[in-house]
Amino acid sequence: MGLFASAINHTTRPEDRALAIRWLSQSREVIASDASSMYKLKQLNALINSRTAIVAVARGISEAASNYRQSSLPWSMKIALPATLAAMPLIGGHAAGIAAFGGALGVPVLLLVFLGTAGITSIIEAVVTSPEARTHIADIIDVIVEDERLRRTSAQMKAAMKEQPLDPTRFSMPVEEMALREHLLSMDPFNFEQHSMSFFHRAGLEAWVTRKSNDFGVDGFATHPDGLIIVQCKRNSPSNKVGRPTIQQFKGVVEEQHAHRGYIITTSTFTDDAIESATRSNKIVLIAMDDLVRWHAEPPHF
């Protein structure tokens, strides 16, 4: 997985990294299919040969792995990799025997088979969380919204997820608590959304902000191993508490989209009715000003 992620991250052009992510996503679909081993190999080879940038990445991986016996790969992989390849009798011939392991394009194809869908998913996540790979965030999100974990999300929500996406931004904040509270209250609402989503990104999740308002009232998204996280941000004054209607509407969005969690983050607090409504769902998390201040001192785990 490290070989793949390193080869992709060291490509010269950001658009080539986006292409590589798409290639991995398509390869994952091929491997997950019920097709024969021979058909899968042909499809994987075709995907590699489809773009010059992918061929370059594949060759880089090949060169790094061709002398794997003398490489620094863990012993478990040195043993498991040839054993896995040898145990694929349906492939046969020169296309996928051990002899093909040193070929320029044989290595990445066989490694993809060896890694499987879970391994490819890990590579994609390792690449898209790299700052250098986020220039083409819209292309990355195209891959994310097709992820199997989000398969039950509606087409309308997937479209909302892709509306003018921007990276989270961690803005400089005062250290002293009262100054921090005042600064959060005075932030531009959109900057507050970017800042709020930066906590999810810092926790290692793929996260982004939508600049354009949408019918769902959602300001940001993050992908968790267990599914989609939906975030709504309310940069309210202390006296403007978030009420029950907001919670009820947001609960409906979270449930309808089969999301893993829904977070409402505010610079104020919540009414008693709102809190009571949120407790009726194990998917809704309310973050009031006090909680948000604690996030700055103790980064949360999601």
Side-chain angles (χ1 to χ4, degrees), residues 215-264:
D215 294 338
F216 296 98
V218 176
D219 301 309
F221 299 91
T223 56
H224 186 275
D226 294 327
L228 179 67
I229 291 177
I230 301 174
V231 182
Q232 186 177 107
C233 300
K234 298 287 187 182
R235 208 276 291 141
N236 292 357
S237 64
S239 60
N240 185 14
K241 296 184 177 182
V242 179
R244 185 186 188 96
T246 297
I247 305 300
Q248 290 178 321
Q249 181 183 21
F250 191 64
K251 280 168 60 177
V253 172
V254 171
E255 292 295 339
E256 287 174 7
Q257 303 306 319
H258 305 281
H260 170 60
R261 288 284 188 276
Y263 283 76
I264 298 183

Side-chain angles (χ1 to χ4, degrees), residues 31 37 41 44 65-66 68-69 73 76-103 105-116:
I31 293 174
S37 298
L41 274 185
L44 292 172
S66 58
Y68 76 104
R69 288 186 180 84
L73 291 174
S76 58
M77 184 172 180
K78 290 183 181 182
I79 295 170
L81 184 54
T84 301
L85 304 182
M88 297 169 63
L90 291 179
I91 296 171
H94 299 292
I98 297 299
F101 189 68
L105 297 181
V107 173
V109 168
L110 297 177
L111 282 177
L112 285 170
V113 175
F114 171 75
L115 291 168

Side-chain angles (χ1 to χ4, degrees), residues 9-30:
N9 281 330
H10 284 85
T11 53
T12 305
R13 300 188 307 165
E15 53 265 37
D16 289 343
R17 287 193 286 271
L19 281 173
I21 294 169
R22 288 186 177 279
W23 162 53
L24 287 175
S25 180
Q26 293 168 337
S27 298
R28 181 176 58 183
E29 292 176 6
V30 171

Side-chain angles (χ1 to χ4, degrees), residues 163-175:
E163 284 286 355
Q164 301 180 17
L166 289 175
D167 282 334
T169 301
R170 185 67 174 266
F171 290 93
S172 177
M173 291 286 153
V175 176

Side-chain angles (χ1 to χ4, degrees), residues 114-254:
F114 171 75
L115 291 168
T117 57
I120 295 175
T121 299
S122 297
I123 296 168
I124 293 173
E125 291 177 348
V127 173
V128 299
T129 54
S130 168
E132 296 85 2
R134 296 181 62 83
T135 304
H136 290 255
I137 186 172
D139 295 305
I140 293 170
I141 291 172
D142 279 342
V143 174
I144 291 172
V145 297
E146 297 304 323
D147 190 283
E148 59 189 22
R149 291 171 295 180
L150 308 183
R151 65 186 182 279
R152 299 176 69 186
T153 304
S154 72
Q156 292 85 350
M157 177 59 84
K158 288 181 179 180
M161 292 167 67
K162 297 161 62 175
E163 284 286 355
Q164 301 180 17
L166 289 175
D167 282 334
T169 301
R170 185 67 174 266
F171 290 93
S172 177
M173 291 286 153
V175 176
E176 198 274 324
E177 182 177 326
M178 290 306 298
L180 172 60
R181 290 172 181 266
E182 291 176 4
H183 191 88
L184 289 168
L185 285 167
S186 65
M187 290 185 76
D188 172 83
F190 183 67
N191 289 347
F192 176 67
E193 294 170 10
Q194 289 183 291
H195 184 69
S196 297
M197 293 308 300
S198 73
F199 291 98
F200 296 87
H201 181 58
R202 287 283 184 93
L205 303 181
E206 180 64 25
W208 66 98
V209 187
T210 56
R211 177 183 289 275
K212 189 174 181 180
S213 61
N214 54 71
D215 294 338
F216 296 98
V218 176
D219 301 309
F221 299 91
T223 56
H224 186 275
D226 294 327
L228 179 67
I229 291 177
I230 301 174
V231 182
Q232 186 177 107
C233 300
K234 298 287 187 182
R235 208 276 291 141
N236 292 357
S237 64
S239 60
N240 185 14
K241 296 184 177 182
V242 179
R244 185 186 188 96
T246 297
I247 305 300
Q248 290 178 321
Q249 181 183 21
F250 191 64
K251 280 168 60 177
V253 172
V254 171

